[in-house]
Amino acid sequence: MRHAGKANLVREERGLTAVIEFLSAFTLFLMILTAFLSLAQLQMGSNDPATDRLDRAAAMGLDRLTSGEGWFVPGDVDGLDYENSTSDWHLEDASTLHQGRVQPGLLANNRLDADKIHALHEVTEDGMAAGIGLGEDMSLYLSIKVVESENETRQGTSLFAGGTQRGTASSSSTAYRSFQQDGELIQIVLEVHDGGRKNNPLHLNEIVARPSSNGPEWIEVSNPNDFAIALRGWSLNHTSGSSSTNLLIQSGVLSGKSLAIFTGDPNSQSVGNASQVIDLGQYAFLGVGQVDGLADGRGTLSLRYTQLDESRAVEIARVEWGGDTGLFLVTGQSLQWDGTSLTASSAWSISETPTPGEH
């Protein structure tokens, strides 16, 4: 009996040991499974619907941008003219592209095409977003850069960089693709943002309020962004004494990294390298000869913009002359901006030699 009891005790101990070993192994299995799921979660993303939507938009948008040659459908009074659509979107100017529908594609013969990259300057950010399928509530930032090159002078060169800054949006997603060709590594990065404030400032560069030889008054405006900017929503305001004149620009598109001249008479206006000349004499905002639009003595000119979802115009740039500004215009002089403050009088100086279309 004593021997049988001892045997039972041994069996019970072995059974308890087996249970403990099983529980230990099962616990270890659960720890491994938890770690695996955590890693999988990290790799697959947050599974947050809003973030996943941005991820898909960035990946899809970059694929459309870098997997083909793109296309353009012209616009007419009846809508889109599909019969005259073309893959040569890069041969159209900014105004034409803005009136239709464009999906920029950067490839030609399965290689990045330098002409197509340069043609991105003719596309607005909104036009790009619509073309690559982004939602109306999304914005983007596009960067194309030479990361490595056999030519040291090309290494680090930015081929394109424009759009809405990431910091103005609540959340973002990034997709990128690299191309190795002609001894260079070129990286394309597309950021897609959930909203954000569009980075679309225009700059006042130079103005002539008292032209010589009966010439026209004129204003030079530049687009520092790589994307083109539609002029609709922009306005010019001129104040002199108690009088004020405001002009809302109804149409036009200014290409990326380019200049526009607003003039009182396009027929006699020197344009230099300006890509666009806009007649404001027809609205009596700028004069020519003996007709004054801008004040000769003391005045203020401001460039303003109204966001589509806002009713109040925001002042982007301003120049004042006369009074205590230290800026006095005589016949044939111009006021030139030094590229610093957009609104301070100290950022402007008098030039005896106006340079329209040269900044």
Side-chain angles (χ1 to χ4, degrees), residues 125 162-165 197-205 221-231 234 254-258 303-305 307 314-317 337 342:
E125 181 184 345
T164 301
Q165 297 294 328
R197 191 173 186 87
K198 300 294 175 64
N199 179 30
N200 57 354
L202 294 177
H203 293 163
L204 287 174
N205 286 348
V221 174
S222 66
N223 174 12
N225 202 322
D226 275 27
F227 276 119
I229 291 180
L231 296 179
W234 288 89
L254 186 55
S255 302
K257 301 293 187 183
S258 70
L303 180 65
R304 303 175 179 182
Y305 180 68
Q307 293 275 0
V314 177
E315 185 177 78
I316 304 299
W337 181 53
L342 291 171

Side-chain angles (χ1 to χ4, degrees), residues 200-208 218-225 229 231 234-239 247 249 254 258-263 280 285-286 294 299-305 314-321 327 334-349 355-359:
N200 57 354
L202 294 177
H203 293 163
L204 287 174
N205 286 348
E206 186 175 9
I207 73 166
V208 167
W218 56 267
I219 304 165
E220 182 186 274
V221 174
S222 66
N223 174 12
N225 202 322
I229 291 180
L231 296 179
W234 288 89
S235 59
L236 289 165
N237 180 271
H238 171 240
T239 301
L247 177 66
I249 302 172
L254 186 55
S258 70
L259 303 171
I261 299 291
F262 297 89
T263 179
L280 297 189
F285 189 85
L286 295 178
L294 301 179
T300 300
L301 177 72
S302 62
L303 180 65
R304 303 175 179 182
Y305 180 68
V314 177
E315 185 177 78
I316 304 299
R318 180 179 72 249
V319 55
E320 300 179 51
W321 61 93
L327 300 173
S334 72
L335 295 175
Q336 294 185 355
W337 181 53
D338 67 6
T340 57
S341 172
L342 291 171
T343 57
S345 295
S346 59
W348 290 82
S349 62
T355 56
E358 300 298 330
H359 290 83

Side-chain angles (χ1 to χ4, degrees), residues 135-307:
E136 294 183 356
D137 58 336
M138 295 179 180
S139 60
L140 64 89
Y141 186 88
L142 178 65
S143 171
I144 306 176
K145 185 176 182 180
V146 179
V147 179
E148 299 176 4
S149 177
E150 296 175 353
N151 182 349
E152 292 184 358
T153 62
R154 288 264 299 173
Q155 189 159 319
T157 299
S158 175
L159 304 180
F160 189 92
T164 301
Q165 297 294 328
R166 178 184 297 186
T168 66
S170 59
S171 56
S172 303
S173 181
T174 302
Y176 66 90
R177 183 177 179 185
S178 297
F179 290 82
Q180 187 82 49
Q181 62 185 52
D182 300 328
E184 293 185 337
L185 178 64
I186 301 175
Q187 186 177 70
I188 301 177
V189 180
L190 177 66
E191 297 177 3
V192 175
H193 314 306
D194 183 14
R197 191 173 186 87
K198 300 294 175 64
N199 179 30
N200 57 354
L202 294 177
H203 293 163
L204 287 174
N205 286 348
E206 186 175 9
I207 73 166
V208 167
R210 299 185 68 182
S212 60
S213 304
N214 293 319
E217 298 174 333
W218 56 267
I219 304 165
E220 182 186 274
V221 174
S222 66
N223 174 12
N225 202 322
D226 275 27
F227 276 119
I229 291 180
L231 296 179
R232 183 177 177 84
W234 288 89
S235 59
L236 289 165
N237 180 271
H238 171 240
T239 301
S240 178
S242 60
S243 64
S244 179
T245 304
N246 190 74
L247 177 66
L248 181 64
I249 302 172
Q250 298 290 339
S251 61
V253 183
L254 186 55
S255 302
K257 301 293 187 183
S258 70
L259 303 171
I261 299 291
F262 297 89
T263 179
D265 179 24
N267 295 321
S268 59
Q269 177 67 55
S270 298
V271 300
N273 296 319
S275 62
Q276 191 168 163
V277 178
I278 299 174
D279 181 11
L280 297 189
Q282 60 180 317
Y283 305 111
F285 189 85
L286 295 178
V288 60
Q290 301 302 312
V291 179
D292 288 333
L294 301 179
D296 289 346
R298 180 172 186 172
T300 300
L301 177 72
S302 62
L303 180 65
R304 303 175 179 182
Y305 180 68
T306 306
Q307 293 275 0

